[in-house]
């Protein structure tokens, strides 16, 4: 089993969200989805937003890298006009849906909306549109996602990320070994086979 | 031709310095060595040292990643007890030797001293020991490396790195496209074939 820590606003998480299920299945490894928020992690590092925004040169590079990486993986891509996008509600839905059969489809749909359709994923209407397109009971899922218990779970999830030493996304854990970045997905999976 | 920007104190540059000549030769791509100093680049970003030192969590991760990466590539590795090491003199020698037949051997020897023997590479004696082990005329090379003209060249080289938008090492340029990180060496080379 691989633990997959990802954030819906993270462009490199997009690559892994799109790739992980098929890759893991081909190796007979199960995926434990671990949606979390990078914002509090960055805040703890003293950053008010993504390093891709704070560091001009790295930011300029990242979009070139993303276009090339998507081409390499055969994934669609459009540079988002807003970055990073608000993802709290989508993350609450994902955390609520971790064990649901729609988890992978929901995560990919949010990512495609953010990084291919270039649409916001932050509002109730945004997340509802994604759930409805998947023919899921949006009202019930949004109510559960916004419940006090699930809000607490997300805070605990972020605390757990920090306790694990996570400093970016995506991050994988395979047999308690940390692997950071989409570039390490294959290595992390290979270590389990 | 691939432009290869690297820094002797950078552990991920170690991986590329050890790998690039053989990989490039197998693809019939020539390598233009571009030794430079990361210190002034980091200083321009407002950092007083490597992000692997400034960010505790990332720093802890990097040494685990390096051990795994070296194992994957079949490279020797010992976590340096001093990081990052002083590299100005070695970089001056490399810049002076860019077109010399000993360039690759010298760069690999400095890297092995830093990241396998866990020895300093900063002093006159350190660099002299490396040159002598390669049976090179250490006195003459060190005199040229420390000449006023070569010191100016290194400052110009660092300015050039900044003008190119370089923010870390290793960085590759293939047909004016920037690729950052040892993980992108294969992609950069493949784009030229």
């Amino acid at each position: 089993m691989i633990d997959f820590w990802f954030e819906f606003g993270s462009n490199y998480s997009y690559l892994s969200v799109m790739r992980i299920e098929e890759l893991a299945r081909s190796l007979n490894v199960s995926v434990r989805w671990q949606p979390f928020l990078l914002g509090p992690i960055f805040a703890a590092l003293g950053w008010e937003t993504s390093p891709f925004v704070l560091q001009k040169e790295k930011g300029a590079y990242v979009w070139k890298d993303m276009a090339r990486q998507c081409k390499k993986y055969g994934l669609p891509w459009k540079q988002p006009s807003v970055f990073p996008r608000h993802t709290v509600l989508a993350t609450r839905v994902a955390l609520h849906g971790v064990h649901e059969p729609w988890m992978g489809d929901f995560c990919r749909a949010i990512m495609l909306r953010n990084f291919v359709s270039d649409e916001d994923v932050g509002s109730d209407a945004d997340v509802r549109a994604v759930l409805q397109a998947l023919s899921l009971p949006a009202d019930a899922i949004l109510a559960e996602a916004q419940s006090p218990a699930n809000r607490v779970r997300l805070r605990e999830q972020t605390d757990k990320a920090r306790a694990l030493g996570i400093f970016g996304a995506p991050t994988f854990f395979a047999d308690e070994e940390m692997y950071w970045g989409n570039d390490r997905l294959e290595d992390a999976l290979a270590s389990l086979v």
Side-chain angles (χ1 to χ4, degrees), chain A:
Chain A
M1 188 184 57
I2 187 168
D3 276 289
F4 172 35
W5 292 79
F6 64 100
E7 139 81 79
F8 284 120
S10 145
N11 52 290
Y12 288 111
S13 291
Y14 163 61
L15 300 178
S16 293
V17 163
M18 300 305 288
R19 302 192 313 122
I20 194 167
E21 277 201 327
E22 195 176 326
L23 271 176
R25 200 181 299 123
S26 72
L27 296 167
N28 224 10
V29 172
S30 62
V31 176
R32 190 153 63 181
W33 299 83
Q34 302 276 13
F36 77 114
L37 295 174
L38 264 182
I41 303 285
F42 288 160
L45 288 166
W47 305 341
E48 63 187 70
T49 182
S50 163
F52 303 161
V53 176
L54 295 174
Q55 296 175 45
K56 189 168 61 74
E57 288 82 1
K58 187 179 276 188
Y61 170 76
V62 157
W63 304 123
K64 294 182 190 171
D65 188 53
M66 281 302 297
R68 289 192 307 240
Q69 292 287 100
C70 287
K71 194 174 168 193
K72 184 166 82 172
Y73 293 126
L75 292 172
W77 168 251
K78 186 173 174 193
Q79 182 178 330
S81 55
V82 179
F83 180 85
R85 286 197 156 103
H86 294 294
T87 58
V88 174
L89 179 58
T91 310
R92 284 182 182 148
V93 168
L95 197 60
H96 163 64
V98 152
H99 301 295
E100 300 292 335
W102 47 262
M103 179 66 182
D105 288 335
F106 173 75
C107 293
R108 285 185 290 272
I110 289 284
M111 284 302 202
L112 290 169
R113 186 176 169 98
N114 189 355
F115 294 109
V116 180
S117 305
D118 190 21
E119 290 180 88
D120 285 336
V121 294
S123 74
D124 184 287
D126 296 327
V127 179
R128 185 177 299 270
V130 168
L131 290 168
Q132 286 173 342
L134 295 169
S135 304
L136 293 169
D139 283 339
I141 290 173
L142 284 167
E144 290 279 5
Q146 306 245 54
S147 70
N150 198 55
R151 288 167 189 254
V152 168
R153 277 186 71 208
L154 181 52
R155 280 197 291 277
E156 288 171 349
Q157 178 79 342
T158 305
D159 291 345
K160 197 174 158 193
R162 207 175 309 157
L164 285 166
I166 289 174
F167 53 86
T171 295
F172 313 96
F173 284 85
D175 284 337
E176 296 180 27
E177 284 284 302
M178 183 196 285
Y179 295 80
W180 171 52
N182 173 70
D183 291 321
R184 293 287 177 278
L185 172 54
E186 280 81 354
D187 286 353
L189 286 169
S191 77
L192 294 167
V193 178

